[in-house]
Amino acid sequence: MASIDGVVVTRPTFHGDDRGRFAETYRRSWFPLGREMVQANVSEKQAGAVVGIHYHLHQADYWFVPRGLARVVLVDLRAGSPTEHAVDVFDMGDGAEVGAFIPPGVGHGFAALTDLTITYLVDQYYNPDDENGVAWDDPALAVDWGVADPVVSARDRQNPRVSDIAPDRRPVFGLRT
């Protein structure tokens, strides 16, 4: 599913009975490039919301959608990466129960195809200086977000195109602190 170097997509095994279901959704050993996850976050979005495309120079994320359906968009922004400029688009959540490890320098965003909850683990504490973004509607990416009337935050509407990333904000493959 993922064609971007360093991205790992997992497919948890669900076990169920008359009471419900159970699955292990994250295990550190699944991700050879991963580090200890130090913070957990949850985001609830209404159908039609588009988030991103965000990226970090230092932080990795692990995403899982326990409720609803998201269209996930990943973009390799890392200079020198063997998959530089690659774009992956896949659904995550109901009917597509996968998790995704996203290394630093890989842009990530999602569209809420339904009302949803997304959980994400990160390997760095929140640092506003490591919050970066590129335009969700950059024509060079040609992303089909799967929503007719996207609802996008003011912050995400102001992100530059990929070609306009400032040199000091451009991720470099293999560089991680």
Side-chain angles (χ1 to χ4, degrees):
M1 179 182 300
S3 65
I4 296 175
D5 189 82
V7 170
V8 178
V9 176
T10 63
R11 187 169 305 279
T13 300
F14 282 80
H15 307 277
D17 59 24
D18 293 341
R19 301 168 297 157
R21 298 186 322 152
F22 168 84
E24 185 176 82
T25 60
Y26 175 84
R27 183 179 282 227
R28 165 62 186 85
S29 62
W30 295 342
F31 310 105
L33 297 178
R35 297 189 296 201
E36 176 188 7
M37 295 299 186
V38 297
Q39 184 174 315
N41 303 301
V42 63
S43 179
E44 295 182 345
K45 295 293 184 238
Q46 294 180 342
V50 170
V51 176
I53 297 171
H54 303 157
Y55 70 95
H56 312 283
L57 299 176
H58 307 287
Q59 174 183 297
D61 291 43
Y62 176 76
W63 287 7
F64 189 78
V65 176
R67 180 186 69 87
L69 186 63
R71 169 80 37 94
V72 173
V73 175
L74 304 178
V75 181
D76 193 347
L77 300 171
R78 301 167 296 177
S81 168
T83 55
E84 186 175 356
H85 304 299
V87 177
D88 282 341
V89 179
F90 56 93
D91 292 344
M92 178 183 284
D94 294 342
E97 293 168 320
V98 298
F101 175 83
I102 306 162
V106 173
H108 45 279
F110 67 90
L113 301 181
T114 66
D115 291 353
L116 64 78
T117 300
I118 184 169
T119 61
Y120 53 105
L121 305 175
V122 295
D123 69 353
Q124 301 279 305
Y125 292 111
Y126 175 74
N127 177 357
D129 294 332
D130 196 27
E131 290 291 323
N132 303 283
V134 295
W136 69 277
D137 59 350
D138 187 333
L141 302 177
V143 172
D144 175 6
W145 290 93
V147 294
D149 294 311
V151 179
V152 182
S153 73
R155 171 194 167 197
D156 287 347
R157 286 193 305 269
Q158 296 174 3
N159 286 333
R161 291 181 175 186
V162 172
S163 61
D164 295 328
I165 296 174
D168 66 329
R169 302 313 296 172
R170 178 79 194 269
V172 176
F173 182 73
L175 181 64
R176 182 156 183 211
T177 58

